[in-house]
Amino acid sequence: MYGKGHIHCALLALLRYRKGAESDALNDEDTPGDILEESIPAAINDTDLMQEIVSLLEGKKLYLRKGLKLSDLATELGTNTKYISACINKKAGCSFTDLVNRYRIAYAKQLLLDNPDLKLFDVGEMCGFSSETSFFRNFKALEGKSPSQWLSDIKK
């Protein structure tokens, strides 16, 4: 019976054989999951994976979790971080962090509209930001103004 190491080596050898000259792109740190997913045509999986990512983020509201990491999403989806990251970059045109922050800011805007008396610090906390500074910086980056300026403009 072969162990994981033998299977890993066999998969690396197979993929190196299939890729020919591109085999230098592979290294011994690649896992069998990485190799198998890399060999599956991207067009087949990217759209489905992105739908799963969005469904998970929206359904479980994972974006509200402080300190959410790409590895948390990978665990939830049962795949690897490289594949999720590449899919988000390709389909959403941004990084995982940017995608999560977009969700957080959209949620913050809704909170501010529904509860204009909430303190901005509390809104940032409720949206999953690790600090008030991070909340303000990301809000301004996406909206072009601070949360208080945005709320003031909306009220006018």
Side-chain angles (χ1 to χ4, degrees):
M1 193 73 174
Y2 293 105
K4 286 184 180 178
H6 288 95
I7 294 169
H8 176 85
C9 290
L11 286 170
L12 277 173
L14 175 62
L15 199 55
R16 284 186 176 124
Y17 173 76
R18 283 177 153 177
K19 288 194 170 192
E22 296 173 343
S23 66
D24 291 340
L26 299 174
N27 60 53
D28 291 333
E29 293 159 8
D30 288 332
T31 66
D34 294 334
I35 294 164
L36 290 175
E37 287 177 350
E38 286 174 10
S39 66
I40 297 170
I44 294 172
N45 295 314
D46 284 350
T47 301
D48 291 342
L49 180 60
M50 192 64 204
Q51 287 173 349
E52 288 182 47
I53 292 167
V54 167
S55 178
L56 187 58
L57 285 171
E58 292 176 0
K60 287 191 173 183
K61 295 190 177 186
L62 287 183
Y63 58 90
L64 298 178
R65 187 186 299 173
K66 248 186 209 181
L68 178 66
K69 293 180 260 174
L70 188 58
S71 59
D72 298 330
L73 192 59
T75 299
E76 289 279 342
L77 292 171
T79 189
N80 68 56
T81 58
K82 290 178 185 178
Y83 190 53
I84 292 174
S85 180
C87 180
I88 291 171
N89 289 334
K90 182 177 176 184
K91 293 294 187 178
C94 63
S95 69
F96 166 74
T97 302
D98 290 340
L99 181 65
V100 169
N101 286 336
R102 287 179 188 175
Y103 275 102
R104 288 176 174 168
I105 296 304
Y107 187 74
K109 288 166 48 178
Q110 192 61 53
L111 280 176
L112 289 169
L113 289 174
D114 294 345
N115 309 288
D117 295 331
L118 277 175
K119 295 182 190 276
L120 293 177
F121 173 79
D122 292 333
V123 172
E125 285 276 317
M126 293 168 74
C127 294
F129 287 101
S130 58
S131 69
E132 188 175 19
T133 303
S134 178
F135 170 53
F136 276 69
R137 182 180 59 250
N138 283 285
F139 196 101
K140 190 163 187 172
L142 286 171
E143 295 301 319
K145 50 185 92 175
S146 72
S148 55
Q149 290 170 327
W150 179 84
L151 189 57
S152 175
D153 289 351
I154 293 296
K155 287 181 180 179
K156 290 180 185 177

